Amino acid sequence: MRDHAVIAGVGFTEATSPRRQELSKNELCRLAVDRALEHAGCDRRDIDVVIIGDIAGFEASSVAARTIAPALGLPPYTTVLPICTGGTTGGHLPNQAAALIRAGFAQRVLCVAPNTFDGPVDLQAVINTNSPMVMEQPLGMGAVHMGAFFPAAYQERYGVTDADFELLATKNRENADHNPFAHVTSALSAEHAARMVSTPLRLGMVCPVSSGAIALVVGAESVVGGQAGHPVARITAAQSISDGYLGGKRRDFSTFEVVEVMARRAYREAQVVDPRSEFDVVELFNPYAPMEFMLMEAFGLCPYGGAPELLRKGVTRYGGDLPVNLSGGIQCTNPGVAGQISPVAHIATQLMGQATARQVEGARRGLAHSTGGTFFQFHTATVLERVDL
Amino acid sequence: MSETSTAALIHDVRWEIDYRVRLGRAWSRFMRGLRDRKLLASTCDHCDRTYLPPQSYCEACYEPITRWQECEPVGTLRTATIVYQGFDGGPQAPYAVGAIEIDGTHSLLMHFVGGVDLSDVDAARKALRGGVRVRAVWADERTAAITDIAHFAVAPAQP
Ligand SMILES: [Zn+2]
C-alpha cells in the first residue's frame, strides 16, 4: 500500500558566524541528527536511508557525505545518498525522502543538511565558480551581483521603491528576533544595513554567511506517525524545476517564470485551489530580501506587483493572515545546505505547533520554497499539512 | 599542563588546482569572431530563434543549428546592476553589469556597461534603466575571450 511521507522530527543547531563555530562539521551534523531523532521518537538503528546534502567545491574535501555518514551512528547497512545540485540541494532532501517513501523503498529516511558555507576562507571565491565560466564569470558578477538583476528589473517594472525593499528586510530581521536559531537580527545597525552593495541591494537585504546544521526525520505516515507524540507534517506536494544556466537565458529578470510553472504543479499535487487563503504560513527562500515579493507573486499568493501592498497592510507579518518568513528567512540566516532546507524545517515545526519562531495558532497548511544555483537556476517547492495521529 | 580551552581550533587546508575548459565549436567560433571585432549569432533553421551567445543546437526545438550571422554590435539594455562592492580578484568597483538584447536576437548577452558616471548612484541608476540603447566598445588587445568587448557604451541621448 502506498503511504504518505511525513516529517516527524526536526533538529536545528544554533546558527553562528563561522569564526564562532566550535564544532566540526561531523559534530554539528550529529547534534542536529540527535535532536531530529529524539524529536521524532525514532531510534537511529531503524533508519533505512540517510540523504546528505552537499555543494561541490564548498568543502576542503569533495563529497562531505563520505565523512558525515559514518559519524552518525547508523547501522552499517544504511543506504547513503549524497545529493548535490549546488544551490537548492537542501530543498531536494525532504522531496527525495518523500519520493523514496511513497515508492515503498524506505520507511524512515534521515535528511542531513550540513553547514556548507563556513569552510572556504574566501566564500566569495568559491561562489564565483558558480558563475558561468568563460562566458559570464569574467564580467565581474559574484553571487550578490547575479542576485541583484532580479530586484532591479522587478523594481523598474512595477514601480517598487527602495523603501519597500527596506521595509521588507526590516520585517524579516524583526521576525528573526524571535527565532533562537537565527543569525542576523534587528541588532544590525541601520548604517550597516543601508550600505549599497549592488543596486538595488543594500547590505541589510543580503544574507550573512552562517554556520549551523539541520536534520529531518521523514517517514511513512503509518509507521512513524504515532511514535512522535506530537502532530506530524505530511508532505502533500514535492516539486522542483530548473531554468537555463547562463544568466542571459532568463530573458525577463522581473519575474521567476519557472516558479509559476512549479507552483501550478505543486498546487495540483496538493489540491490547493486558492493559495492565498489556503496557506496559513509560508517560508520563501530569500538570500536577497526583495526575492520574497517576487516569489509571493510567482507562487500566486497575490497579483504581480502586488506583494509590497500586502506587506504594508500587515498581511505577511506576524498576526496577518498570510505570514511570510516568520523565521526571518535566509536573509537573516544562511548556513548553505542547512539554509536551503530551513524553509521546510520551519514550516514543519509551525504545523506541529512547535514553531522555532513565533507560532501561527492553528496552522494547518504551509508552503516552503528553496532556490539556488547560477541566477537561481534551480527551485523546489514543498507543501506540508498538519496530521494529528 | 596546558590550559584546556573549548575555543575553536582551526587548521588551514589549501588545494592549488588549475583547470582547462574546452569551449566547443559554437563558442570557439564566437570567441574568435570577437577577436576580429565581429559579433556572431546562430539562428535555428527550424524555428528562426537567434542565439547570442550562439549555440550549435536550439534549446526550444532541439534541432541542430547551422546558420550563422554577424550582428551589428548594438542592442537594448534590459536590466542592469551597479556594483559598489565587488570581490577579490574582480574588477575595481564601482562598475555596471547589464543584460543586453542585441538587435535581431532572442536571448540576452550579459556584459559590462560603460559610458555612465557611477559616482552619483541615483543619477547612474536612472541612466541605466531598461530600454537604453547600447553599443559595443572593442578592447584594444583581443584574445578570443568575452572581454574582447571592453563594455557596451550607453549611446548619447539624441538631441
Ligand atoms: Zn529552434
Side-chain angles (χ1 to χ4, degrees):
Chain A
M1 192 191 77
R2 275 166 58 97
D3 209 342
H4 288 294
V6 297
I7 298 174
V10 183
F12 286 92
T13 73
E14 290 67 18
T16 66
S17 71
R19 67 191 158 78
R20 294 218 179 100
Q21 183 58 260
E22 291 167 11
L23 301 180
S24 72
K25 188 177 298 290
N26 289 356
E27 289 168 337
L28 202 58
C29 288
R30 189 172 174 119
L31 180 61
V33 164
D34 287 350
R35 288 175 176 174
L37 287 167
E38 191 190 347
H39 189 217
C42 182
D43 191 305
R44 67 181 69 238
R45 285 168 301 191
D46 293 331
I47 294 293
D48 307 311
V49 178
V50 57
I51 307 179
I52 303 178
D54 197 10
I55 312 180
F58 281 60
E59 312 290 344
S61 160
S62 63
V63 192
R66 296 182 309 182
T67 60
I68 295 168
L72 301 177
L74 301 171
Y77 41 78
T78 307
T79 302
V80 179
L81 290 181
I83 287 189
C84 175
T85 59
T88 207
T89 294
H92 279 292
L93 306 183
N95 287 2
Q96 286 305 308
L100 295 175
I101 291 159
R102 288 165 172 180
F105 182 81
Q107 292 192 320
R108 294 179 190 83
V109 180
L110 184 61
C111 296
V112 185
N115 50 322
T116 329
F117 280 0
D118 57 2
V121 175
D122 180 359
L123 182 70
Q124 187 60 59
V126 184
I127 287 180
N128 289 348
T129 66
N130 185 23
S131 175
M133 59 191 177
V134 174
M135 196 59 80
E136 294 179 351
Q137 186 276 331
L139 304 174
M141 286 181 281
V144 64
H145 316 112
M146 292 192 271
F149 275 83
F150 297 89
Y154 173 71
Q155 186 173 41
E156 208 173 301
R157 178 162 175 184
Y158 296 107
V160 176
T161 64
D162 286 13
D164 290 326
F165 290 160
E166 283 173 316
L167 190 68
L168 177 60
T170 305
K171 181 266 286 180
N172 286 332
R173 283 194 292 275
E174 285 167 5
N175 283 346
D177 290 345
H178 301 271
N179 174 7
F181 303 107
H183 181 185
V184 169
T185 62
S186 52
L188 186 77
S189 81
E191 186 195 355
H192 202 67
R195 196 188 306 157
M196 189 64 88
V197 178
S198 192
T199 59
L201 294 177
R202 296 168 192 275
L203 206 55
M205 302 172 192
V206 177
C207 65
V209 175
S210 315
S211 179
I214 295 176
L216 303 178
V217 174
V218 187
E221 189 170 302
S222 63
V223 177
V224 301
Q227 294 177 353
H230 53 75
V232 295
R234 181 189 289 169
I235 297 174
T236 55
Q239 292 288 337
S240 64
I241 201 163
S242 61
D243 208 333
Y245 175 56
L246 293 179
K249 296 292 181 198
R250 296 298 169 277
R251 295 278 297 152
D252 179 0
F253 284 91
S254 71
T255 60
F256 287 110
E257 289 172 310
V258 296
V259 173
E260 194 184 307
V261 176
M262 177 178 67
R264 277 201 295 270
R265 287 183 196 159
Y267 296 162
R268 195 180 309 134
E269 185 186 349
Q271 299 178 33
V272 171
V273 178
D274 177 16
R276 168 77 168 80
S277 65
E278 290 181 45
F279 288 121
D280 302 308
V281 62
V282 174
E283 291 273 333
L284 303 172
F285 197 86
N286 62 340
Y288 312 117
M291 289 172 67
E292 181 174 314
F293 287 150
M294 299 179 67
L295 289 164
M296 283 173 60
E297 294 166 11
F299 271 107
L301 300 173
C302 61
Y304 280 99
E309 195 190 339
L310 291 194
L311 171 67
R312 287 193 294 266
K313 285 182 171 168
V315 172
T316 57
R317 293 174 180 274
Y318 177 70
D321 65 28
L322 188 67
V324 179
N325 289 332
L326 285 179
S327 70
I330 307 308
Q331 176 204 323
C332 296
T333 316
N334 193 357
V337 172
Q340 296 150 15
I341 205 174
S342 69
V344 176
H346 285 297
I347 293 294
T349 54
Q350 281 281 358
L351 301 178
M352 293 168 180
Q354 303 175 341
T356 39
R358 286 177 290 187
Q359 175 71 43
V360 175
E361 288 310 319
R364 301 212 62 86
R365 186 185 260 167
L367 169 67
H369 159 265
S370 189
T371 181
T374 307
F375 288 98
F376 302 111
Q377 185 178 5
F378 301 113
H379 296 265
T380 61
T382 309
V383 177
L384 296 151
E385 284 172 38
R386 174 183 172 126
V387 180
D388 295 275
L389 292 160
Chain B
M1 284 289 285
S2 66
E3 205 178 317
T4 303
S5 169
T6 58
L9 179 65
I10 294 169
H11 284 202
D12 288 335
V13 174
R14 179 180 167 82
W15 303 105
E16 207 168 336
I17 304 169
D18 294 310
Y19 296 90
R20 288 208 174 97
V21 177
R22 265 153 287 275
L23 270 58
R25 288 182 182 145
W27 282 14
S28 296
R29 187 168 172 180
F30 170 70
M31 294 292 188
R32 290 191 176 117
L34 295 180
R35 193 181 51 198
D36 301 333
R37 299 185 191 233
K38 285 182 178 152
L39 193 57
L40 298 177
S42 69
T43 302
C44 176
D45 306 295
H46 191 72
C47 73
D48 280 339
R49 273 186 183 78
T50 296
Y51 290 94
L52 206 164
Q55 46 193 61
S56 54
Y57 69 96
C58 178
E59 279 186 16
C61 59
Y62 214 72
E63 292 293 324
I65 293 182
T66 56
R67 261 195 291 162
W68 284 68
Q69 55 172 297
E70 185 181 345
C71 296
E72 186 70 12
V74 294
T76 304
L77 182 67
R78 291 298 173 206
T79 310
T81 183
I82 307 166
V83 178
Y84 288 92
Q85 208 169 299
F87 51 86
D88 284 351
Q92 180 74 35
Y95 57 91
V97 196
I100 297 149
E101 189 176 327
I102 299 294
D103 291 357
T105 68
H106 301 86
S107 57
L108 296 176
L109 181 68
M110 311 297 280
H111 219 295
F112 292 118
V113 182
V116 170
D117 177 13
L118 303 178
S119 58
D120 179 344
V121 190
D122 295 333
R125 286 172 78 178
K126 281 200 185 78
L128 291 174
R129 289 182 69 86
V132 165
R133 298 286 288 164
V134 293
R135 174 178 281 276
V137 174
W138 297 100
D140 293 336
E141 289 197 15
R142 294 182 302 281
T143 59
I146 191 66
T147 44
D148 287 357
I149 297 172
H151 60 263
F152 279 82
V154 173
Q158 298 300 316

